[in-house]
Amino acid sequence: MKVLLTGGAGYIGSHTCIELLALGHDVIIVDNFSNSKPEALNRIREISGRDFKFYEADAADPEAMDRIFAENEIDCIIHFAGLKAVGESCHIPLRYYRNNLDSTITLLEAMEKHGVNNIVFSSSATVYGVPERVPLTEDMPAYKTSSPYGWTKIMSEQIFRDACAANPNLSVVLLRYFNPIGAHESGRIGEDPNGIPNNLMPYISQVAIGKLPKLGVFGNDYPTPDGTCVRDYIHVVDLAKGHAKAIEYAAAHKGAEAINLGTGIGYSVLDIVNSFMKVNDIDLPYEIQGRRDGDVPECYADPSKARELLGWVAEKGIEDMCRDSWNWQKNNPKGLD
């Protein structure tokens, strides 16, 4: 298939690109480098031994997307592009709504104009909000999120569902990610956020390399075994392989389908910190800080639907995630710069 990746130079997008190229798919990447770097494209080529088309453009730009669709025979889109920090979205909500919703609508308009009917959307477990129970299943209400970021995912999911209701040929797979961490085993690509990281693992890695003085743990008074937030951490390579399965499903499916991508295992923040120190034989200074806006106490997946519909199961464990994260960071102390 010829697959268009919006935000394909980013953390999840770059790993997914490698998996798609390995399977023989042709890839087109669109990215404006708002939270990624051009060097990621060189690393993808190096690891995969294959080339791909690239457009430096904003997925929310109608003229740019119209040109890209006109110049390529696209079979499927994977829509990664979007702002993604829960805490930040609480402080600049309008930017999140403008960016994330505009890109979704622009893509759907381009798809309609050019007769492309298959898309996989990068959604999030944040759509479940503060869950009444865990593990989370796809039939649970998805309209109680605690952040503007989460609302952009809920609203985008609804836009896709409405588009499917109006167009019986449209196929949308709504992949609800849990918490991607880790890096490619080569150590050549990994998570490389701009500024101070919003996500736990790059924060840990940058403390371990000496780039940041200590780790801030946001809250230790949650109703969890050790008081820190519990999440379903999934290796980014497992997540990327889930996308490769999802484009196959999209090609044989009509309508909108929400699918969790997670391991089904909940680890606390301190579980991750302690595992990282043990696996990599590193001491990590950390301090307990106040709770962070938008965080929920406990969130992990029931991944059985992904197994049934996609034939996908997460294969890598927490030690792999911690080991690969450190392998990436220690070999790239300045990230992709």
Side-chain angles (χ1 to χ4, degrees):
M1 275 191 264
K2 185 166 284 189
V3 187
L4 174 69
L5 306 184
T6 70
Y11 175 46
I12 302 171
S14 59
H15 285 83
T16 300
C17 184
I18 288 169
E19 296 301 321
L20 294 176
L21 292 170
L23 291 170
H25 297 292
D26 294 320
V27 173
I28 305 154
I29 290 180
V30 176
D31 206 299
N32 65 357
F33 300 123
S34 65
N35 194 32
S36 59
K37 297 183 175 72
E39 175 60 19
L41 305 178
N42 296 328
R43 302 285 179 96
I44 294 169
R45 294 184 180 101
E46 173 193 320
I47 293 167
S48 68
R50 291 192 59 195
D51 202 358
F52 50 85
K53 275 192 176 182
F54 170 70
Y55 293 87
E56 185 171 353
D58 189 333
D61 181 344
E63 291 184 5
M65 297 311 297
D66 183 52
R67 178 170 65 88
I68 292 164
F69 274 73
E71 291 177 359
N72 299 278
E73 293 183 4
I74 297 166
D75 297 308
C76 187
I77 299 101
I78 304 180
H79 181 28
F80 293 110
L83 301 174
K84 61 177 186 177
V86 170
E88 181 184 63
S89 75
C90 296
H91 300 287
I92 51 170
L94 297 183
R95 186 180 174 205
Y96 270 70
Y97 286 118
R98 172 66 70 187
N99 182 83
N100 293 5
L101 297 181
D102 276 7
S103 61
T104 294
I105 294 168
T106 298
L107 267 178
L108 279 166
E109 288 174 339
M111 290 172 66
E112 184 176 51
K113 180 177 179 179
H114 295 276
V116 179
N117 290 311
N118 303 324
I119 186 166
V120 175
F121 176 56
S122 171
S123 192
S124 168
T126 58
V127 302
Y128 295 111
V130 180
E132 297 176 357
R133 58 177 172 82
V134 286
L136 300 172
T137 55
E138 293 86 350
D139 59 355
M140 292 173 66
Y143 52 81
K144 299 183 296 182
T145 186
S146 54
S147 70
Y149 164 75
W151 277 111
T152 68
K153 294 302 185 182
I154 291 172
M155 294 165 78
S156 288
E157 285 196 9
Q158 188 60 48
I159 291 167
F160 279 118
R161 292 184 189 280
D162 290 341
C164 285
N167 178 2
N169 294 315
L170 194 60
S171 174
V172 180
V173 182
L174 307 167
L175 293 182
R176 294 174 176 170
Y177 309 162
F178 281 69
N179 289 68
I181 59 175
H184 193 269
E185 63 182 10
S186 67
R188 298 296 287 157
I189 59 168
E191 190 165 10
D192 185 23
N194 295 327
I196 296 175
N198 289 293
N199 296 331
L200 177 61
M201 187 56 80
Y203 203 152
I204 288 174
S205 298
Q206 290 189 16
V207 172
I209 203 72
K211 191 172 181 179
L212 295 173
K214 58 187 173 182
L215 173 70
V217 175
F218 300 112
N220 68 341
D221 57 349
Y222 287 98
T224 61
D226 63 18
T228 64
C229 291
V230 169
R231 296 288 182 270
D232 188 333
Y233 294 94
I234 176 174
H235 198 294
V236 67
V237 172
D238 278 335
L239 188 64
K241 290 178 178 178
H243 288 78
K245 294 286 190 180
I247 64 168
E248 296 175 8
Y249 182 75
H253 166 264
K254 301 299 179 187
E257 194 74 56
I259 302 175
N260 290 336
L261 288 186
T263 65
I265 302 170
Y267 291 101
S268 74
V269 172
L270 292 181
D271 286 336
I272 300 296
V273 171
N274 291 328
S275 180
F276 189 94
M277 289 194 288
K278 179 181 177 182
V279 168
N280 298 309
D281 193 23
I282 292 173
D283 186 45
L284 285 173
Y286 67 87
E287 68 174 9
I288 305 298
Q289 300 178 355
R291 293 186 179 191
R292 185 173 58 178
D293 291 341
D295 278 344
V296 301
E298 193 173 26
C299 180
Y300 58 92
D302 177 344
S304 58
K305 189 174 181 181
R307 182 176 62 249
E308 293 164 8
L309 297 186
L310 306 182
W312 173 90
V313 177
E315 298 175 346
K316 295 179 181 289
I318 194 65
E319 291 189 353
D320 299 309
M321 301 178 208
C322 292
R323 186 181 300 110
D324 290 343
S325 293
W326 178 233
N327 185 45
W328 150 252
Q329 188 68 77
K330 72 181 180 182
N331 287 302
N332 301 271
K334 295 183 179 180
L336 290 169
D337 290 328

